[in-house]
Amino acid sequence: MRAVLTRVSSASVQVDGEITGKIGRGFLILLGVGPEDTEADCEKLCKKLLSLRVFEDENGKMNLGLEAVDGSVLVVSQFTLYGSCKKGRRPDFFGAASPEKAEALYELFLKCCAENGYPPQHGIFGAHMEVASVNDGPVTLIVDTRDL
């Protein structure tokens, strides 16, 4: 699984003009699922992301986690994280999991966030979404379960 985590002051996602998820300070997580990903990968990624300490303490050091800043989580499915631009000018997405598998692991990720104390706001899987964020820092990290 792959995630792009951005530390935000605020973020929201809307579908057909309706806001489906909105947070203040916290993490905007764009989540991609690959064909080889497992439930264990999902849980490992969830716990890793939620435990990252990327908020500044009183000394300006990135030393605080979500709990310390009363942060929230917004999760948006993002199959394009598995896009390949190796050939031509139009990316292919053959590296992404099937929609059925991806949706199941996306739903598991949402459940894992909630079980770890961060009931996530979220988009709608497979929908055309408009995501807005006010990046804080900016701090943006790419995390892949193959590297954990």
Side-chain angles (χ1 to χ4, degrees), residues 52-106:
L52 290 174
R53 299 184 323 177
V54 298
F55 295 94
E56 293 177 355
D57 64 15
E58 65 278 356
N59 298 315
K61 301 283 185 193
M62 285 197 291
N63 201 27
L64 302 177
L66 276 173
E67 184 176 8
V69 300
D70 196 27
S72 301
V73 175
L74 174 63
V75 181
V76 176
S77 61
Q78 188 84 28
F79 76 94
T80 60
L81 293 180
Y82 279 89
S84 173
C85 298
K86 289 181 182 177
K87 295 182 181 180
R89 295 178 291 160
R90 184 173 47 217
D92 73 58
F93 302 101
F94 299 122
S98 69
E100 298 78 21
K101 179 174 187 163
E103 185 171 17
L105 289 178
Y106 169 76

Side-chain angles (χ1 to χ4, degrees), residues 1 31-35 37-39 42 75-79 82 96-112 122-127 129:
M1 294 181 81
L31 184 68
V33 179
D37 291 330
T38 65
E39 290 183 4
C42 185
V75 181
V76 176
S77 61
Q78 188 84 28
F79 76 94
Y82 279 89
S98 69
E100 298 78 21
K101 179 174 187 163
E103 185 171 17
L105 289 178
Y106 169 76
E107 292 294 334
L108 180 62
F109 187 88
L110 297 178
K111 181 180 175 188
C112 183
H122 54 86
I124 297 175
F125 185 89
M129 295 175 273

